[in-house]
Amino acid sequence: MAGGDTGGGGEVSMNESTRQTQHQPGVTIGCHAFLEPRLSEIGELRDQPGLDLPPRFLRHADEHTVVGVHAVLAARATHPAMPPVAGHAVVAAPCQAGRIAGGKTLAQMAVGGGVTVSPHIVPQCSLHSIAGAVSVALGMHGPHLGVGGGPEALGEGLLVAASLLLSSGDPNCNGVWLIATEWDEEPPLDHAGTPLTNPRCRGLAVFLEPLSSPEDGGTMLQPLAFELRMKRSVRGPQFQEPAGGLVAFARALDMCREGAALASWAVACPGGGEIRVRSRSRSVACGLREAA
Amino acid sequence: MSGIRAERREAREPVVITGLSAVSPLGNTCEQIVDRLFAGCSGVRAIGPDPRARTTRQFVAPVTEIPTPAGMDPHAFADLDRLEQICLAPLAGALADAGFDPQARPRLGLVLGLGAEHLKSWELDFFSGGTRVFEPRRDPALVHRLAGRLGIDGPAVTVAAACASSGYALGMARAWVESGWVDACVAGGCDILSPTSMAAFYNLRALSRRDDDPAKASRPFDRARDGFVMGEGGAFFVLERQKTAVARGARLRGELAGVGTSSDGVHMVMPSSDPVQAARAISAALADAGVVPGDVGYVNAHAAGTPVGDVAEAGAIRIALGEATDAVPVSSTKSMTGHLVSGAAAFEALVCLAAIERQAVPPTVNLDDPDPNCPLDHVPHVPRAHPVDVAVSNSFGFGGSNLCLVLRRAA
């Protein structure tokens, strides 16, 4: 599987053996935003968390969390009619979040013992932390969870977000935030845990909303669609990290938002699933598909 | 959306548990673990001194031996890091327990509940002399290594919701099975003790600071509680549709009948003093299972023994169960196992299955003086015979993550 434009006219062609799973409505993308500040710029973002949040809100947060929270706020500002935030869920899929804090913690602990360990390292720098910070920042009451954590995180996050929206979850859940973060290049750390380079931390926030039925475009705010296919023919975990996967995904979303009919992009989910984003024609049914 | 979901709930087929396995401070077979839980045994020990530790004498609930999975070379297993070992052993055990025909194994998924995989992997490597945390590399996630070793060929993901992680894994697995994305799914979670996490929780003032008697340190709901005791271990389950399980002659261990989730949306560390969102998760799980509070025969509380958390949970239970609360026995098995963190929710779901099987409720040990701010029908010190067809397991995590599972006797 690879990232990038898959061509083919921007539509998913299903072969005859493909069936649409019963009662699996589609998902639309209500808004999105992509940020990629350099490491040196994250301090300023950390000190200005936005909304009415106190300046200390992100003080102990990992860099991925800072960028993820700001990406959500940027995306939210573009949504013309955001549904009530209380019903939102959050799925955050970072790649190796917490490594800088982890390196510093271990370096300090080796010298000074357990007394040097920050009490914030677990709540603020673990896999759940980005989702937790977004949930707390906006006062959401839907579920929030971290997903993946490794180089496969984007595909895993999409899969879990789709699961939350398409499965029998909380009937009050009116949307899921998917947040994916990664360094453009993992920074090498010195033996005190200090980064030796100034990479960009990419953060993509996407608000996914359910469609009541494949024909119902009423809640669709942007001409985008989201589709998941499970290929039974694929055996074994065969994931290969798509080159520039997150960037390509963000670019595809931008193209769709700007009305490009041909934009299309897909990512493999570990174990044989595939998530596809494309421009959506209202005449085209979309939703969860499963290859027989 | 809600209409379609409601329709699906009406029409859906039960998802049942056909395989389970655990490693824990109380043993590594389900029978041994359950026997010790119902005997009120404590797995808490004193360890140390460790130069990396925050104190000279620490109380923890360790797993003393991780069994090598059947068919695996013991030397190859010994070469794995402890995090992979402690996940692989019960995962392989659950698959073996499910008894799939090797010639016709279904399409399997895997959902691993694990909260701080990378921090712990870097730490294990670092204290073994490695430098991975400092290197600009991206290593594959543990869940894919596990899937590869066990030939799991469907989707595989890690989910993290702090101390509710493995419960979210079970909920996600049920959704995949119901949706038909997989034929069966292995799900659960395990965690390990680590010097960094113990120091972090100690510095957060979340751990008990008792240093007299290890077995007395974990005291959920007791007036003298002062924090939790860290443990390690967890459990994995195999989930599949009941019809499929019955057709292949599988042993039905119970039904994962309901899943409810919510978030407080209040604080990154502390649970909300207003238990309404936690109560909403419990009520949602009951509604998802199609049961009413009066049907509940047992609540396995999250209750880790923290002064704030136990009170908040008692309030949530009272709101969710309403007038039925005083007739529903509640216990916290963390009094015996310590807090298994990422593995806690799945392990405590196993405890619920045991309560259903034995028609009895395991005790909360060390509950000498119940906190009047936790007014529940406690089961102190010794188990209680009680009809249990429906059991509830609560799990709450950092960031205000609330999860409730409803387990039911399989029809």
Side-chain angles (χ1 to χ4, degrees):
Chain A
M1 173 53 232
D5 192 335
T6 57
E11 298 295 344
V12 178
S13 58
M14 296 291 171
N15 62 38
E16 290 183 358
S17 64
T18 300
R19 63 184 171 84
Q20 175 135 12
T21 307
Q22 193 177 14
H23 291 319
Q24 296 284 9
V27 175
T28 58
I29 296 174
C31 59
H32 74 277
F34 178 66
L35 306 179
E36 46 179 349
R38 289 207 175 273
L39 174 59
S40 57
E41 298 165 336
I42 291 177
E44 188 176 341
L45 293 173
R46 189 190 304 277
D47 294 339
Q48 298 172 5
L51 293 177
D52 296 326
L53 295 167
R56 67 180 182 280
F57 181 72
L58 293 172
R59 182 179 297 168
H60 302 289
D62 171 70
E63 294 79 9
H64 291 245
T65 300
V66 174
V67 174
V69 167
H70 278 275
V72 167
L73 297 180
R76 190 168 172 266
T78 69
H79 198 299
M82 182 62 76
V85 71
H88 295 190
V90 191
V91 171
C95 176
Q96 300 202 155
R99 193 168 71 83
I100 294 176
K104 284 181 181 167
T105 297
L106 292 171
Q108 289 169 356
M109 194 176 179
V111 176
V115 71
T116 66
V117 176
S118 165
H120 301 289
I121 184 78
V122 175
Q124 299 276 7
C125 300
S126 297
L127 182 52
H128 74 274
S129 301
I130 301 173
V134 170
S135 174
V136 170
L138 292 168
M140 298 171 178
H141 298 310
H144 70 269
L145 63 162
V147 175
E152 311 89 343
L154 176 58
E156 294 177 323
L158 283 160
L159 181 63
V160 169
S163 303
L164 280 182
L165 273 172
L166 301 178
S167 69
S168 53
D170 182 348
N172 298 316
C173 177
N174 55 19
V176 175
W177 285 98
L178 171 68
I179 304 156
T181 61
E182 65 180 14
W183 294 107
D184 62 348
E185 292 182 358
E186 285 290 330
L189 309 180
D190 68 15
H191 287 288
T194 305
L196 297 171
T197 58
N198 188 25
R200 292 185 181 279
C201 186
R202 297 166 175 155
L204 173 68
V206 182
F207 186 61
L208 304 168
E209 297 177 76
L211 277 177
S212 297
S213 74
E215 294 75 30
D216 178 12
T219 61
M220 191 176 67
L221 296 165
Q222 292 183 341
L224 301 177
F226 179 87
E227 194 164 71
L228 188 145
R229 292 192 301 172
M230 307 299 294
K231 294 177 180 171
R232 284 178 181 272
S233 58
V234 177
R235 308 294 289 186
Q238 300 183 6
F239 181 82
Q240 291 182 321
E241 184 184 3
L246 204 160
V247 172
F249 184 28
R251 190 176 301 134
L253 294 175
D254 285 341
M255 291 173 69
C256 290
R257 180 169 58 190
E258 290 158 12
L262 300 183
S264 180
W265 177 87
V267 64
C269 295
E274 183 179 90
I275 302 278
R276 182 163 290 238
V277 174
R278 59 176 167 73
S279 298
R280 180 178 186 272
S281 160
R282 291 190 182 204
S283 64
V284 177
C286 60
L288 172 70
R289 291 174 191 270
E290 184 178 14
Chain B
M1 186 70 183
S2 59
I4 289 173
R5 283 175 173 164
E7 182 186 328
R8 292 183 63 212
R9 265 199 295 279
E10 290 293 315
R12 78 184 184 205
E13 185 187 343
V15 171
V16 294
I17 297 153
T18 56
L20 59 89
S21 182
V23 293
S24 84
L26 296 178
N28 296 329
T29 68
C30 292
E31 292 73 17
Q32 186 180 47
I33 291 167
V34 172
D35 283 346
R36 289 180 174 171
L37 281 170
F38 278 84
C41 297
S42 173
V44 181
R45 308 278 182 272
I47 60 164
D50 180 334
R52 298 164 302 187
R54 184 64 179 78
T55 59
T56 53
R57 181 171 158 85
Q58 278 191 295
F59 293 164
V60 295
V63 170
T64 53
E65 182 186 1
I66 304 173
T68 303
M72 185 168 181
D73 173 16
H75 298 292
F77 186 69
D79 285 342
L80 304 177
D81 73 33
R82 185 170 176 79
L83 186 59
E84 185 160 358
Q85 288 178 340
I86 210 165
C87 290
L88 182 58
L91 222 170
L95 272 176
D97 189 49
F100 293 119
D101 177 352
Q103 304 305 314
R105 205 160 92 160
R107 178 181 159 81
L108 280 168
L110 169 61
V111 189
L112 172 65
L114 184 55
E117 170 190 339
H118 286 81
L119 284 174
K120 289 188 174 170
S121 294
W122 290 321
E123 181 181 2
L124 288 167
D125 174 71
F126 180 80
F127 287 124
S128 302
T131 57
R132 274 178 32 208
V133 70
F134 302 116
E135 298 168 11
R137 51 191 279 176
R138 290 178 176 174
D139 295 317
L142 172 61
V143 69
H144 303 301
R145 299 204 302 273
L146 294 169
R149 289 187 195 286
L150 296 171
I152 293 172
D153 56 4
V157 301
T158 304
V159 296
C163 302
S165 296
S166 56
Y168 268 95
L170 291 170
M172 189 62 54
R174 190 185 70 151
W176 287 4
V177 170
E178 281 186 332
S179 302
W181 296 5
V182 293
D183 301 319
C185 197
V186 199
C190 274
D191 218 328
I192 56 169
L193 293 164
S194 80
T196 305
S197 58
M198 284 193 285
F201 281 115
Y202 187 93
N203 294 342
L204 195 58
R205 303 194 71 82
L207 296 186
S208 170
R209 300 200 172 203
R210 287 170 173 268
D211 62 358
D212 46 0
D213 183 352
K216 299 286 187 189
S218 184
R219 313 180 68 84
F221 295 128
D222 190 75
R223 202 195 293 251
R225 69 191 183 279
D226 69 337
F228 68 84
V229 173
M230 291 196 75
E232 61 181 354
F236 282 88
F237 294 66
V238 174
L239 304 178
E240 57 188 308
R241 288 172 187 252
Q242 179 166 291
K243 192 182 296 180
T244 312
V246 168
R248 70 179 184 87
R251 179 183 174 190
L252 309 187
R253 317 296 286 262
E255 178 192 355
L256 180 52
V259 182
T261 59
S262 71
S263 296
D264 290 345
V266 172
H267 197 275
M268 286 296 285
V269 178
M270 302 289 285
S272 173
S273 56
D274 179 355
V276 67
Q277 292 302 328
R280 195 168 71 88
I282 300 171
S283 297
L286 296 178
D288 190 39
V291 299
V292 297
D295 296 329
V296 178
Y298 169 51
V299 175
N300 185 290
H302 175 77
T306 61
V308 175
D310 291 10
V311 172
E313 181 174 11
I317 292 170
R318 292 206 75 87
I319 292 172
L321 299 188
E323 293 176 353
T325 305
D326 293 334
V328 180
V330 177
S331 72
S332 171
T333 44
K334 289 188 179 76
S335 58
M336 295 172 274
T337 63
H339 190 343
L340 307 188
V341 195
S342 294
F347 182 83
E348 289 159 16
L350 183 153
V351 176
C352 287
L353 293 178
I356 292 168
E357 184 178 305
R358 295 201 174 194
Q359 292 295 286
V361 173
T364 304
V365 302
N366 301 324
L367 186 48
D368 300 330
D369 182 13
D371 184 344
N373 294 313
C374 304
L376 299 166
D377 180 15
H378 296 293
V379 185
H381 305 303
V382 293
R384 183 195 299 174
H386 189 81
V388 184
D389 288 331
V390 174
V392 163
S393 178
N394 293 336
S395 297
F396 307 118
F398 279 149
S401 199
N402 306 311
L403 174 112
C404 178
L405 302 176
V406 175
L407 288 301
R408 177 161 52 199
R409 179 190 297 282

